[in-house]
Amino acid sequence: MITYKEAKKILIKSKIEIKDEIINSSKSLNRVNVLDIYSVVNYPAGTNAAFDGFAINSKDTSKLNKNNSQNFKILKTISAGDNPSLKKINKFEAVEVMTGALIPKNFDTIIPIEKIIFNKNRKFILINEKIKNNQHIRYAGSDYKKRDLIIQKGTIIQPSHVLAFKTLGIVNIKVKKKPNILFFSTGNEISNSKNIANWKVRNSNSFYIKSLSNNFLFNFIDGGVLRDKDEKLFQKKIEKSFKSKVDIIITSGAVSAGKHDFVPHIIKKFSLSNFFKGVSIRPGKPVLFAKFKKAEKSIFGLPGNPISSSACFRFFVYPYLLNILGVKVEKPFKAKLKNNYSKSKKIIRFLKAKLTSTNDGKIELEVLKGQESFRIKSFVEANVWGLFKDGQSIFKKGELIDCYSPIGSNINIFK
């Protein structure tokens, strides 16, 4: 058995090649960009109004006050999308502008509509004070200038990035292809039926991993259920995958040391590199990994218990996906422990926990009851994984604990 730290080192040096592709930026959510992406335009493209109001030249108000007011002639109304050009602009003239409207040259400030005093025929506005320049104006390029960096390569693209791409005219981007994951459930007890006998188990792990594919970085391929006597079938499935577009094989169950735990035995028949089985963690101790030497593919054997399988996907498979897609290493965020906790000194514990905020802004982590790997109620109640390190057995209230989001990367929150 190896340590979690040793397992992570093996995963890092076991990269498989994932090719690139060019896609439309509108379809890039949760993809990983291969290159730095820069703005191709200035944004805003033109200097425009931040408020409905009237644009004037502030210099025309330099000598104005309550005892020396001035009427400004209204030349026209300009709405967002209108051509703002004017043939000639004289002193003491103004244009009505709607929010987003481009500001004509020679005007450098806006008086909000709420502060406007009209004359009776509403052809003039009265100004009786000095107006500062640059008020309520959004200048061209004040947000993004042409060739400004939008996102660095190796970024997991979020909805905010898609908004920026479409705003800034980024049509196509180069991204890593989604790895194809072939998933097998194992065991005679596994059933896809709604109504089952007490000695059967519903096939939840397959559907959990499949649901993750919507928010994670892979395509899910359901390999079905391997029964206890399907050793040879499993071997053939692996051999067949070598000639397919499958990148990663994942099994759930049959990975420990029981009579029907055939996964390690079959995998060892292949030429492997960077193999490990058994890591000093809970839940998920029997987890297995290997890279195939004769194919650019790898395999994970996850335990069958739902929480063990979920934890191992989060802390082994997902970091591996980030690595092969070129995303920087994920770092934990920390929270203060709300309740005392103790464990074996030799192992790392991945604990179902709840993150809350106190009235004075402190982030606290509560270890939930029901940490056994078969219990899903606490998994439903949890909103974070707490990682309790090895080399320490007693964790006291107020101690800082490493935390990981249940799905998706901490990178999306903490950079």
Side-chain angles (χ1 to χ4, degrees):
M1 186 179 300
I2 63 174
T3 66
Y4 180 54
K5 186 177 181 180
E6 291 170 333
K8 288 197 297 182
K9 286 182 178 180
I10 292 173
L11 293 177
I12 289 171
K13 67 180 182 180
S14 304
K15 291 180 71 171
I16 58 175
E17 182 185 359
I18 302 298
K19 294 182 179 180
D20 306 334
E21 64 178 339
I22 295 175
I23 63 171
N24 190 286
S25 63
S26 64
K27 299 178 180 179
S28 63
L29 184 65
N30 291 327
R31 304 297 294 274
V32 177
N33 58 308
V34 175
L35 304 171
D36 292 343
I37 300 178
Y38 298 89
S39 178
V40 296
V41 296
N42 291 323
Y43 179 76
T47 300
N48 66 83
F51 277 89
D52 293 344
F54 284 80
I56 62 168
N57 187 330
S58 61
K59 294 179 181 177
D60 293 347
T61 69
S62 60
K63 297 180 180 180
L64 300 184
N65 53 52
K66 290 183 178 180
N67 297 319
N68 182 31
S69 59
Q70 176 67 48
N71 281 318
F72 281 63
K73 182 181 179 182
I74 302 171
L75 298 178
K76 64 183 295 188
T77 297
I78 304 174
S79 300
D82 288 349
N83 187 333
S85 61
L86 295 169
K87 291 182 179 180
K88 185 179 180 182
I89 300 173
N90 298 314
K91 196 173 183 180
F92 304 129
E93 290 184 333
V95 290
E96 185 178 18
V97 289
M98 304 293 106
T99 301
L102 293 188
I103 308 300
K105 292 181 179 179
N106 298 324
F107 295 109
D108 64 359
T109 196
I110 292 174
I111 305 171
I113 188 67
E114 295 85 357
K115 295 183 178 181
I116 294 299
I117 303 172
F118 292 97
N119 74 335
K120 290 182 179 180
N121 60 15
R122 298 181 71 88
K123 292 183 178 181
F124 292 85
I125 60 173
L126 179 69
I127 300 177
N128 57 10
E129 62 178 323
K130 182 178 178 179
I131 306 297
K132 294 181 180 179
N133 64 349
N134 302 326
Q135 291 192 115
H136 312 301
I137 288 181
R138 303 182 288 214
Y139 282 92
S142 58
D143 192 14
Y144 278 98
K145 289 183 173 59
K146 191 175 182 179
R147 290 183 290 277
D148 274 357
L149 179 67
I150 304 172
I151 57 171
Q152 294 180 325
K153 66 179 180 179
T155 299
I156 303 171
I157 295 172
Q158 301 299 298
S160 58
H161 301 144
V162 176
L163 183 147
F165 297 155
K166 303 311 293 183
T167 300
L168 300 172
I170 307 298
V171 179
N172 296 314
I173 61 174
K174 183 179 283 191
V175 298
K176 284 290 184 184
K177 286 188 173 182
K178 283 188 174 185
N180 296 310
I181 291 181
L182 175 61
F183 185 89
F184 295 100
S185 299
T186 67
N188 285 350
E189 74 277 16
I190 302 300
S191 174
N192 288 313
S193 299
K194 179 181 178 181
N195 298 315
I196 61 173
N198 291 341
W199 55 87
K200 294 290 185 179
V201 176
R202 292 187 180 89
N203 185 14
S204 59
N205 290 349
S206 174
F207 288 94
Y208 176 72
I209 303 299
K210 183 179 180 179
S211 71
L212 290 178
S213 67
N214 296 323
N215 296 311
F216 278 47
L217 312 158
F218 62 91
N219 295 317
F220 178 87
I221 303 169
D222 190 353
V225 180
L226 297 169
R227 301 303 177 183
D228 292 345
K229 294 182 180 181
D230 283 343
E231 291 188 38
K232 291 182 179 180
L233 176 62
F234 180 45
Q235 184 173 339
K236 289 180 180 180
K237 294 276 188 180
I238 295 176
E239 292 169 349
K240 186 177 179 180
S241 74
F242 290 165
K243 299 178 182 180
S244 73
K245 293 183 179 181
V246 169
D247 298 295
I248 301 170
I249 299 170
I250 297 179
T251 61
S252 175
V255 75
S256 191
K259 183 177 180 179
H260 301 301
D261 291 334
F262 60 80
V263 169
H265 169 67
I266 295 298
I267 290 174
K268 287 181 180 180
K269 290 185 176 184
F270 295 89
S271 181
L272 307 172
S273 64
N274 303 330
F275 174 87
F276 68 75
K277 180 187 178 297
V279 182
S280 53
I281 59 169
R282 284 188 63 192
K285 183 173 66 174
V287 63
L288 174 153
F289 170 80
K291 185 176 182 294
F292 295 105
K293 283 186 177 180
K294 295 183 179 180
E296 198 65 20
K297 303 177 191 296
S298 56
I299 187 165
F300 285 90
L302 309 184
N305 273 321
I307 304 308
S308 297
S309 183
S310 301
C312 287
F313 189 95
R314 180 62 181 87
F315 291 101
F316 291 88
V317 181
Y318 188 58
Y320 184 73
L321 286 171
L322 295 181
N323 185 36
I324 65 176
L325 292 172
V327 181
K328 65 182 180 181
V329 176
E330 181 185 23
K331 295 180 180 179
F333 61 93
K334 295 182 182 293
K336 287 188 175 182
L337 186 59
K338 189 175 182 179
N339 46 347
N340 294 332
Y341 180 76
S342 61
K343 65 170 185 63
S344 169
K345 189 176 182 179
K346 295 181 180 181
I347 64 170
I348 282 178
R349 287 297 306 265
F350 304 123
L351 297 178
K352 296 165 279 186
K354 183 175 287 187
L355 207 63
T356 56
S357 176
T358 62
N359 291 333
D360 56 354
K362 295 177 182 178
I363 304 299
E364 292 185 332
L365 182 78
E366 178 186 0
V367 175
L368 298 175
K369 294 180 180 180
Q371 291 296 327
E372 295 91 341
S373 59
F374 75 92
R375 294 188 184 274
I376 61 172
K377 184 177 182 180
S378 51
F379 190 49
V380 172
E381 294 173 346
N383 59 13
V384 71
W385 284 102
L387 189 155
F388 287 69
K389 60 187 179 181
D390 51 4
Q392 181 177 346
S393 58
I394 305 298
F395 296 82
K396 295 182 178 180
K397 178 180 178 180
E399 191 168 339
L400 290 176
I401 303 299
D402 288 347
C403 301
Y404 289 86
S405 61
I407 60 169
S409 173
N410 286 355
I411 295 168
N412 297 337
I413 306 171
F414 301 94
K415 298 182 179 180

